[in-house]
Amino acid sequence: MATYSLANERLRALEDIEREIGAILQNAGTVILELSKEKTNERLLDRQAAAFTASVQHVEAELSAQIRYLTQVATGQPHEGSSYSSRKDCQMALKRVDYARLKLSDVARTCEQIWRT
């Protein structure tokens, strides 16, 4: 259950990053709109530019953290919440069970054919 909450937390963090990127684009649009005017409001430009810069730095830091996490997961380094190894082991065990069932079914058919003759 902890793995699901960790995954949900990671997804929420990515959604927050996505919202922040939207805010970045909105700030950039406001700056461009203000720059297109004949008489610009320098205070507004400074505020929007500062907000833009801060948001970009925050998104960059968050994305770097997400990439570091994914790198750890992909390289198999130990970290809290990883269930990849366990899931892979489970999938392989299920494949072995399916294979064993198939072979037992073949043996059962062979036995039936022998008993019929």
Side-chain angles (χ1 to χ4, degrees), residues 52-108:
F52 175 84
T53 304
S55 292
V56 167
Q57 289 173 346
H58 180 257
V59 165
E60 183 180 11
E62 289 296 315
L63 284 176
S64 293
Q66 292 289 332
I67 290 169
R68 277 192 306 278
Y69 171 76
L70 290 173
T71 301
Q72 288 177 342
V73 173
T75 59
Q77 294 178 0
H79 64 287
E80 289 183 22
S82 175
S83 63
Y84 176 77
S85 178
S86 299
R87 283 186 306 195
K88 191 67 175 169
D89 290 345
C90 182
Q91 287 173 347
M92 292 305 293
L94 290 172
K95 287 184 185 286
R96 287 191 298 271
V97 166
D98 287 341
Y99 182 75
R101 282 186 187 138
L102 180 67
K103 288 301 176 186
L104 286 173
S105 176
D106 289 346
V107 168

